[in-house]
Amino acid sequence: MNFLSANDISKEEINRIFDIADTFVAGKQTASIKEHSVLAMYFEKPSTRTRLSFEVGMTQLGGRAIFIDSRTTQLSRGETYADTARMLSNYCDFIAARLNKHTDLIEMANNSDVPVINALTDLEHPTQGLADLYTIRSHVKSLKDTRIAFMGDLQNNTFNSLMVLAAKEGAEIFLVGPQGYLPKAKYVTKVKEYSKVVATNSLEDGLENADVVYTDTFISMGQEGEAEKRRKMFAPYQLNQKALDMAGKKAIVMHPLPAHRGEEITSDVLDGSRSVAIEQARNKLLLNKALVLYLSQH
Ligand code: CP
């Protein structure tokens, strides 16, 4: 089994991974991965949290992770993703890849004999989505009918994954961003299969009664060339105190980090009592461990 996309996983599988994470929290996890298992981490983009959470997680599970900076590999000199994956899967038990293009991740997965995990691509960030959904679950009575509002760049890779995972659990998705600027149709269609999705350019309409207000960078890795245009386009959708006041009284604030303070979110909101950004980062370790353990059993 691979974990390339939020579409790869059913509600039952999400809940099974959450159960494993719960047993880690309770200190009751007895199963582990095969001793000395190795996770190859092939990264084309920078990372702090995803890299560290997988590296620490593999150590805690009794295996290890080997970080491979793509710039130091033969792939940077033209070796194919397919040949790289064939070779990595001979040496290692799992592969986690952070790639520029999702299509390259699929090529790796199609040529790997071991599970491949998406550690972020241009389209998705499903391991972040799992950690975020687990975080939301601990702050609401039930994920079903929980209202999640996302503000800003509605084509954000992290939210593509989260909204599909959350919809599978019955959460409602509110997209708050510029008129006519929507996620790719395939993600909206997928959310509609399971739940409700509303898109609006009105902050009042989109944030009203929200249980969760989520934002992420306006300029994702690889979009630096469009920085000025994107800053202008998304500026009205900054998550600041005025916007938060439009949401439900107990709404939590989420951001996957790294944050660009003063851009997509203000420091008072990110550091405020309703922010769970640090909890999201902490849960990445828990959920990445649970995911690797789950994949080792399937
Ligand atoms: N949220 C996230 O993926 O962080 P990193 O880019 O630091 O891994």
Side-chain angles (χ1 to χ4, degrees):
M1 181 183 170
N2 297 314
F3 188 47
L4 309 183
S5 162
N7 293 326
D8 289 349
I9 191 168
S10 66
K11 177 181 171 179
E12 290 67 34
E13 289 170 317
I14 296 168
N15 291 341
R16 182 70 197 107
I17 293 168
F18 285 180
D19 288 345
I20 295 173
D22 287 342
T23 62
F24 279 126
V25 174
K28 290 186 176 157
Q29 183 54 244
T30 48
S32 196
I33 55 174
K34 184 165 59 78
E35 205 181 352
H36 305 308
S37 291
V38 174
L39 169 72
M41 299 183 62
Y42 186 88
F43 276 42
E44 292 179 340
K45 297 177 173 194
S47 171
T48 303
R49 282 146 286 268
T50 307
R51 173 181 176 171
L52 263 293
S53 55
F54 271 117
E55 289 190 355
V56 173
M58 283 301 290
T59 304
Q60 291 180 353
L61 287 170
R64 67 168 296 200
I66 298 178
F67 183 78
I68 308 151
D69 180 334
S70 68
R71 290 169 301 186
T72 65
T73 65
Q74 296 292 4
L75 200 142
S76 71
R77 297 178 57 246
E79 189 168 15
T80 65
Y81 287 92
D83 286 347
T84 303
R86 281 186 200 111
M87 187 276 302
L88 289 179
S89 74
N90 271 293
Y91 294 154
C92 303
D93 304 277
F94 311 91
I95 298 170
R98 173 168 283 204
L99 304 184
N100 292 305
K101 293 204 307 223
H102 196 84
T103 46
D104 292 335
L105 183 73
I106 291 169
E107 187 178 332
M108 285 188 97
N110 287 343
N111 290 280
S112 170
D113 295 325
V114 300
V116 175
I117 299 168
N118 180 350
L120 183 145
T121 64
D122 54 340
L123 292 186
E124 288 206 41
H125 196 0
T127 62
Q128 181 71 46
L130 274 183
D132 291 344
L133 191 60
Y134 186 85
T135 307
I136 295 169
R137 194 186 71 153
S138 70
H139 286 272
V140 297
K141 281 203 189 87
S142 159
L143 285 171
K144 184 158 171 22
D145 299 330
T146 287
R147 191 173 281 211
I148 304 175
F150 181 83
M151 298 178 68
D153 175 6
L154 302 181
Q155 295 184 357
N156 175 268
N157 50 5
T158 297
F159 200 70
N160 280 342
S161 295
L162 177 59
M163 70 176 167
V164 172
L165 294 171
K168 287 181 181 185
E169 297 279 0
E172 296 178 349
I173 307 300
F174 285 73
L175 302 166
V176 192
Q179 179 88 38
Y181 185 88
L182 293 168
K184 281 188 188 297
K186 69 174 181 177
Y187 292 107
V188 177
T189 305
K190 192 50 87 177
V191 171
K192 282 183 182 162
E193 258 180 53
Y194 300 99
S195 185
K196 170 176 160 181
V197 58
V198 174
T200 175
N201 63 346
S202 156
L203 271 73
E204 287 88 350
D205 294 348
L207 298 176
E208 189 182 14
N209 296 325
D211 301 299
V212 176
V213 186
Y214 197 116
T215 194
D216 194 2
T217 179
F218 292 161
I219 304 144
S220 291
M221 288 180 278
Q223 296 174 331
E224 291 79 5
E226 303 170 17
E228 267 325 295
K229 184 179 122 197
R230 298 177 71 83
R231 270 190 201 104
K232 270 200 197 110
M233 180 161 62
F234 301 125
Y237 300 95
Q238 183 188 65
L239 178 44
N240 51 35
Q241 191 57 49
K242 193 170 165 213
L244 186 57
D245 288 344
M246 297 177 197
K249 290 275 171 286
K250 292 184 182 166
I252 56 169
V253 168
M254 299 188 76
H255 193 303
L257 304 176
H260 305 81
R261 291 166 180 265
E263 210 162 280
E264 75 274 6
I265 191 164
T266 53
S267 282
D268 57 334
V269 170
L270 183 63
D271 300 331
S273 59
R274 288 157 77 179
S275 170
V276 297
I278 298 300
E279 197 178 325
Q280 289 171 256
R282 193 167 59 234
N283 283 339
K284 283 172 73 84
L285 171 58
L286 192 58
L287 269 294
N288 287 349
K289 268 167 56 176
L291 174 66
V292 168
L293 186 51
Y294 183 81
L295 292 176
S296 75
Q297 297 165 344
H298 291 85

